[in-house]
Amino acid sequence: AQSVTQLDSQVPVFEEAPVELRCNYSSSVSVYLFWYVQYPNQGLQLLLKYLSGSTLVESINGFEAEFNKSQTSFHLRKPSVHISDTAEYFCAVSDERRQLTFGSGTQLTVLP
Amino acid sequence: EAQVTQNPRYLITVTGKKLTVTCSQNMNHEYMSWYRQDPGLGLRQIYYSMNVEVTDKGDVPEGYKVSRKEKRNFPLILESPSPNQTSLYFCASSSYLGGGNTEAFFGQGTRLTVV
């Protein structure tokens, strides 16, 4: 069985400050890792994913996440956040059976 | 435009009155699934379908039914809704090809309240 733990349920941060959203996973098999973002009153959208190769993956809007196999982590970072980054962020793990398992979510609130 | 469409977006119903939430995708995806989202619990899978006429239980299937008669549609049925099924529901689809590394596309969500 696989599971995902997002350590922070709420992360308030001031605009232009850096942010890190933490994610740890457990799985007995090789996994694929994802970050999804949910803006208010919308569905989830894929932000970035790790499949294989380089352990650092980036999104088009400045987020990046690093896969750390030894620590079983996939933390999401952004060096400078904007008001528009306010949303709920979900870390997820998938295996070859395509069963997506989500964490409980982290609400990122960017303050002016 | 590639999309997953759920209807209705909002629904208030009474205990015991059967309801169906529809889900349709236009990407010819084989894999479809239903999730419920509750505060502090993230998204939990209710049912999933690998292809037409192939469905299986997820983590929280009790009180729900699904069917997959056509590739594009995957309705969620609540035969006798109860207040503990008040939640935000999401339908998702993804391509079967490529194993677990394919992106899931989500609908806009259905907010269900059972009174």
Side-chain angles (χ1 to χ4, degrees), chain B residues 12-33:
Chain B
I12 301 175
T13 190
V14 296
T15 299
K17 185 177 181 182
K18 181 179 178 180
L19 66 91
T20 299
V21 183
T22 64
C23 173
S24 180
Q25 50 95 3
N26 63 359
M27 295 166 279
N28 202 36
H29 284 163
E30 296 83 6
Y31 187 91
M32 297 185 74
S33 57

Side-chain angles (χ1 to χ4, degrees), chain B residues 86-107:
Chain B
T86 292
S87 186
L88 179 58
Y89 292 85
F90 288 101
C91 179
S93 76
S94 60
S95 174
Y96 186 83
L97 298 177
N101 61 8
T102 53
E103 174 183 356
F105 292 82
F106 285 81

Side-chain angles (χ1 to χ4, degrees), chain B residues 2-102:
Chain B
Q3 59 184 7
V4 178
T5 304
Q6 294 178 229
N7 279 297
R9 291 289 310 277
Y10 302 91
L11 179 60
I12 301 175
T13 190
V14 296
T15 299
K17 185 177 181 182
K18 181 179 178 180
L19 66 91
T20 299
V21 183
T22 64
C23 173
S24 180
Q25 50 95 3
N26 63 359
M27 295 166 279
N28 202 36
H29 284 163
E30 296 83 6
Y31 187 91
M32 297 185 74
S33 57
W34 276 102
Y35 295 87
R36 60 178 289 172
Q37 182 181 11
D38 301 290
L41 297 177
L43 280 81
R44 294 177 292 168
Q45 192 179 56
I46 303 171
Y47 268 94
Y48 65 95
S49 171
M50 293 281 204
N51 214 323
V52 176
E53 301 291 1
V54 181
T55 63
D56 208 346
K57 297 177 181 178
D59 298 319
V60 288
E62 293 77 22
Y64 305 94
K65 285 177 56 179
V66 293
S67 68
R68 188 89 183 273
K69 293 184 170 55
E70 304 166 285
K71 197 172 187 180
R72 63 183 291 123
N73 296 323
F74 190 46
L76 179 69
I77 303 156
L78 284 72
E79 295 270 3
S80 182
S82 62
N84 64 11
Q85 293 178 296
T86 292
S87 186
L88 179 58
Y89 292 85
F90 288 101
C91 179
S93 76
S94 60
S95 174
Y96 186 83
L97 298 177
N101 61 8
T102 53

